Amino acid sequence: MTRVRVHNFGVSLDGYGAGAGQSLEAPFGHADGRLMQWFMGTSTFRAMQGAPGGSAGVDEAFASTWATGIGAEIMGRNKFGPERGPWSDTEWRGWWGENPPFHTPVFVLTHYPRPPFEMEGGTTFHFIDATPAEALALASEAAGDLDVRIGGGVATVRQFLAADLIDHLHLVVSPIILGRGENLWQGLEGIESRYDIEAVSSPSGVTHLTFTRKPLSP
Amino acid sequence: MTRVRVHNFGVSLDGYGAGAGQSLEAPFGHADGRLMQWFMGTSTFRAMQGAPGGSAGVDEAFASTWATGIGAEIMGRNKFGPERGPWSDTEWRGWWGENPPFHTPVFVLTHYPRPPFEMEGGTTFHFIDATPAEALALASEAAGDLDVRIGGGVATVRQFLAADLIDHLHLVVSPIILGRGENLWQGLEGIESRYDIEAVSSPSGVTHLTFTRKPLSP
């Protein structure tokens, strides 16, 4: 049974998953790299960069579960690139270089569909204009027996949560107050009732939270 | 040197310290008792109720520091009682019965000053119309060599944080999404830069955060 998973999703103490003023130079807006700073020291992140070493503690334990058993990803267009509106820069092939770290089909949600293209290492980007449920049907089929990851950004994760389509959510709360930007929790009052929740703090200063969907009542 | 301290201050994952719809029957509004549920099982809370027993773990360790070394409290009027505007019910003497748990002078911030009165056990309520800095000057004098506690509610803690008057802040984040009410973080972007911050999660599901003001640069 395919599960729908979110991993390594950073939020501030006031619930922002990205700051204000997102751009090519600042994908997280005025949050800069602060929401993902805990991730930079992990072995998982270093391996993505082709670098050796990295931490092996609780941050790494969570980070490393990111790719295991994933057969497809769904991401919002703003995660794929900084351009908005109709595509003018078709040379843009994502933030991740020629060999992106996904190695699966990736479904990019956009109101402007365009032909798919394949990258090195097994990542193929598809561009679809679809509701969360429609996108999930496509991604589940592509994933086969494996799980589907919702890769972000903030609005995409929020829409999937609102549609009650997330089985497993891993959040990482950094002790910063961003004050503005994209708030993950907007419109999600009371969703904790659907989940079993654990929290564990890390020596790095962040707190990892896991939301696991409760079994349906018989 | 008097320190200014906040203890056992509960917030939701989206930063609300109280829900919407506060009233006599629901002092935390639609949050009900959820933000303070972690506190109910502690020995500290049970002792306040005159009951034996209670937990002795990390929740109790934090809860028990509440009263140590405190010489005065400042609270907002909404913590003192549910009435707004000019006082009509002068029979109301707080939520806490004839022997409140403070045992020190308590300064209640209100635009409607009235004469002080003394309760059993050493608690005296004073009613003052003052800025945070003015209230702190009065409370510090009353506290002598001891510390001043800012007792809440949300708006009061937020105002003292905005005025940079808090030395030690203990927050308790519950994994719930309230969605509406009084948000602690409103207008406080970037205040983490003034503090050394630690986080520790508890088996009860909450995460304790301590903000300790950084030493001033020489």
Side-chain angles (χ1 to χ4, degrees), chain A residues 40-208:
Chain A
M40 303 302 164
T42 62
S43 302
T44 293
F45 178 75
R46 293 181 62 85
M48 285 180 188
Q49 312 294 306
S55 68
V58 62
D59 291 339
E60 170 59 17
F62 278 103
S64 68
T65 64
W66 176 80
T68 307
I70 294 289
E73 165 153 333
I74 297 169
M75 66 170 63
R77 178 175 173 180
N78 297 359
K79 177 173 172 185
F80 177 74
E83 195 180 29
R84 307 291 186 260
W87 300 97
S88 63
D89 179 7
T90 52
E91 297 300 300
W92 176 267
R93 291 157 73 83
W95 302 97
W96 304 278
E98 286 306 303
N99 187 349
F102 307 108
H103 312 301
T104 67
V106 172
F107 295 86
V108 179
L109 297 171
T110 170
H111 295 306
Y112 303 92
R114 51 185 271 202
F117 56 84
E118 196 171 347
M119 309 289 287
E120 290 172 27
T123 298
T124 302
F125 288 109
H126 301 266
F127 299 86
I128 60 173
D129 186 6
T131 67
E134 291 164 353
L136 183 55
L138 284 171
S140 294
E141 190 177 343
D145 290 337
L146 299 176
D147 291 345
V148 173
R149 183 174 51 231
I150 309 300
V154 184
T156 301
V157 173
R158 190 170 55 217
Q159 284 161 21
F160 277 80
L161 282 170
D164 196 12
L165 294 174
I166 306 281
D167 297 303
H168 171 95
L169 169 65
H170 167 227
L171 291 182
V172 189
V173 181
S174 290
I176 61 176
I177 295 93
L178 285 177
R180 42 207 169 98
E182 286 194 84
N183 198 299
L184 176 63
W185 303 120
Q186 193 84 45
L188 296 181
E189 177 185 336
I191 61 156
E192 70 277 3
S193 65
R194 302 184 210 147
Y195 292 96
D196 292 318
I197 303 175
E198 285 189 28
V200 61
S201 46
S202 162
S204 69
V206 300
T207 298
H208 297 270

Side-chain angles (χ1 to χ4, degrees), chain B residues 25-214:
Chain B
E25 295 74 25
F28 286 91
H30 83 293
D32 301 322
R34 289 179 287 165
L35 293 174
M36 295 308 284
Q37 201 172 335
W38 68 274
F39 185 57
M40 303 301 164
T42 63
S43 303
T44 292
F45 178 75
R46 293 182 61 85
M48 284 180 189
Q49 312 293 309
S55 69
V58 62
D59 292 338
E60 169 60 17
F62 277 103
S64 68
T65 65
W66 176 80
T68 307
I70 294 290
E73 165 153 333
I74 297 169
M75 66 170 65
R77 177 174 175 181
N78 297 359
K79 177 173 172 185
F80 176 75
E83 194 180 32
R84 308 289 186 261
W87 301 97
S88 64
D89 180 9
T90 51
E91 296 300 301
W92 176 266
R93 292 158 73 84
W95 302 97
W96 304 278
E98 286 306 303
N99 187 350
F102 308 108
H103 312 300
T104 67
V106 172
F107 295 85
V108 179
L109 298 172
T110 170
H111 296 306
Y112 302 92
R114 53 185 269 202
F117 56 84
E118 193 170 348
M119 308 289 288
E120 290 172 27
T123 299
T124 303
F125 288 109
H126 302 265
F127 299 85
I128 59 173
D129 186 6
T131 66
E134 292 165 353
L136 183 55
L138 285 171
S140 294
E141 190 177 342
D145 291 337
L146 299 176
D147 291 344
V148 173
R149 182 176 50 231
I150 309 301
V154 184
T156 301
V157 173
R158 190 170 55 217
Q159 284 161 21
F160 276 80
L161 282 169
D164 196 13
L165 294 173
I166 306 282
D167 296 304
H168 171 96
L169 170 64
H170 168 226
L171 291 183
V172 189
V173 182
S174 290
I176 61 176
I177 294 93
L178 284 177
R180 42 210 169 98
E182 285 194 84
N183 199 299
L184 177 63
W185 302 120
Q186 194 83 44
L188 296 181
E189 176 184 337
I191 61 156
E192 70 277 2
S193 65
R194 303 185 209 145
Y195 292 96
D196 293 317
I197 303 174
E198 284 189 30
V200 62
S201 46
S202 161
S204 69
V206 301
T207 298
H208 297 271
L209 287 140
T210 53
F211 289 56
T212 306
R213 194 207 290 263
K214 290 178 180 171

